[in-house]
Amino acid sequence: MKRMLWAAAFSAAIVMTGCDTGADKADTPVDAAPAEGQTDAEAAAGPAAAVARMPTTGPATPAASGAPEYAVIYPGGAPKAEATPGMSPAGPGGIIEFTTDATPDQVVGFYRQRAEAAGLKPINTLSRDDARGYSAGDGGNKLLNVVATPVDDGPTDVLLSWTGG
């Protein structure tokens, strides 16, 4: 239960600090220099190009037993521990942390697609330094929050929480 409260507090922190809907900004990075294996055109396209290269098919394992279709581990992701289940007034949910070799933009793009396919509407996005976050909900019991943070000389660290499973 403490972890579920922590997840709620963390989600509130996302909402209160540095979130924006992206309506007033372009999603292109300030420094659009090509990354390794990236063409100049892909660098200029910014995160949209990265999302286009992300795996949209393939095995996506449920984050926990009974988790909804939008609460899955990114394909190829390695959980740090089992998901921590929780119960809230909105219903069952959980939180899980895992790592992946995908970029934060790819991770957020993946969860955005899953959320939209499940009928969830975007609530907020986070773009702070190289970290990315996204939250979506249905206005009722279903909620998805994901924060992807790159680690120096390591994989991307992902924190995924959900309700309404």
Side-chain angles (χ1 to χ4, degrees):
M1 186 64 179
K2 285 183 181 180
R3 287 188 183 190
M4 208 52 196
L5 291 174
W6 180 87
F10 185 75
S11 298
I14 289 174
V15 171
M16 300 304 289
T17 61
C19 295
D20 78 65
T21 60
D24 60 344
K25 294 184 195 176
D27 282 337
T28 56
V30 174
D31 180 1
E36 184 177 325
Q38 191 179 38
T39 67
D40 288 336
E42 289 172 331
V51 171
R53 291 189 313 271
M54 74 180 186
T56 55
T57 59
T61 335
S65 176
E69 66 274 11
Y70 49 87
V72 297
I73 297 171
Y74 187 89
K80 291 185 171 186
E82 288 188 30
T84 302
M87 182 62 72
S88 75
I95 187 169
I96 190 167
E97 186 176 9
F98 61 91
T99 60
T100 178
D101 290 331
T103 68
D105 287 321
Q106 289 172 317
V107 171
V108 167
F110 173 81
Y111 286 102
R112 182 183 309 264
Q113 286 181 349
R114 293 201 69 101
E116 288 173 1
L120 304 182
K121 304 293 182 212
I123 297 172
N124 278 308
T125 59
L126 167 73
S127 180
R128 180 157 311 231
D129 298 323
D130 292 331
R132 300 290 181 265
Y134 174 75
S135 62
D138 69 349
N141 294 336
K142 296 180 179 180
L143 180 65
L144 168 76
N145 287 303
V146 62
V147 177
T149 308
V151 177
D152 290 339
D153 299 323
T156 298
D157 190 58
V158 181
L159 182 64
L160 174 69
S161 63
W162 68 94
T163 60

